[in-house]
Amino acid sequence: MAILEYAVGAGSFAAGPALLAAAERSTSTVLVTGARTRFAVAATMSAATAALSWFGWLRLGTTPSWLVWCWVCALGCGLTLTDLRSRRLPFPMVAALAGGCATTFFGVALIDGAWARFGFACATAVVTFGLASLVQICAPDHTGGGDAALYGALALFLGWFGWNGLLRGLLIASGLTALIALVVAVSSRSVNSTFAAGPSLLGGALVSVFVT
């Protein structure tokens, strides 16, 4: 297990440049200009991924859930960058987030026979994505397709922790996003103000794992 921990740690520190490249490739946009700025952004994402991985290890231990946590944290850093810089949550990156979760969970189900747990996580992802898409269709000016896809991916991750983990995670993520939306609306004096919802959704979902 020590080898796995060292491998995850090394991967976390090396994640920044890869995440920056993936973010720019998926958006077909240069998100950060200047060699020094690019280095600083990549280093910040690496440090954030490593720190979050360490916090996850303290909470989850060396378990499959921890590996998925690290994956979500890494992709979450990349999605946060793209949403803040371009107001987009690229589908390839959201799909990669969900795909990594699903692949790991499937492997655990295959080895340990946790098919009910795997099925619940997948079902909640489909239902949550459907409901979020319906909201997006009804209010296209306030939410986007990337937000709906991210809701589905996060539901897959949170669903692995059961009903309590799912409901707690979605509640905290949605509540934090609603709070930020209220602050933005008040500060701009416009209910039609837009903001990047991805960071708050991701942050709320990750924080919920530490709430018991």
Side-chain angles (χ1 to χ4, degrees):
M1 289 299 182
I3 296 178
L4 177 61
E5 293 166 8
Y6 287 130
V8 171
S12 298
F13 278 110
L19 290 170
L20 178 57
E24 292 184 331
R25 184 176 294 111
S26 61
T27 57
S28 299
T29 305
V30 177
L31 300 175
V32 182
T33 59
R36 291 183 179 180
T37 304
R38 291 180 66 84
F39 175 81
V41 170
T44 298
M45 288 196 291
S46 291
T49 301
L52 289 170
S53 298
W54 182 74
F55 280 118
W57 177 75
L58 292 178
R59 176 69 174 85
L60 302 170
T62 309
T63 62
S65 297
W66 175 59
L67 292 179
V68 175
W69 163 275
C70 294
W71 181 254
V72 173
C73 289
L75 269 294
C77 288
L79 286 167
T80 295
L81 175 66
T82 60
D83 207 13
L84 291 175
R85 296 292 294 175
S86 66
R87 296 293 179 87
R88 292 175 57 190
L89 292 170
F91 181 76
M93 293 188 70
V94 177
L97 189 155
C101 293
T103 300
T104 305
F105 293 155
F106 177 79
V108 175
L110 195 63
I111 296 173
D112 297 338
W115 293 110
R117 194 175 181 183
F118 175 70
F120 177 78
C122 292
T124 55
V126 172
V127 172
T128 302
F129 174 68
L131 293 175
S133 297
L134 182 61
V135 172
Q136 192 271 327
I137 292 173
C138 296
D141 294 334
H142 296 280
T143 183
D147 297 327
L150 183 59
Y151 260 112
L154 291 178
L156 176 64
F157 167 60
L158 297 169
W160 185 254
F161 298 96
W163 274 111
N164 290 337
L166 174 69
L167 297 178
R168 181 173 61 243
L170 292 180
L171 179 62
I172 294 176
S174 299
L176 180 60
T177 303
L179 178 61
I180 293 177
L182 178 61
V183 172
V184 171
V186 171
S187 61
S188 63
R189 299 181 180 179
S190 173
V191 296
N192 295 320
S193 298
T194 60
F195 68 101
S200 57
L201 290 175
L202 287 160
L206 292 175
V207 167
S208 72
V209 177
F210 289 85
V211 179
T212 56

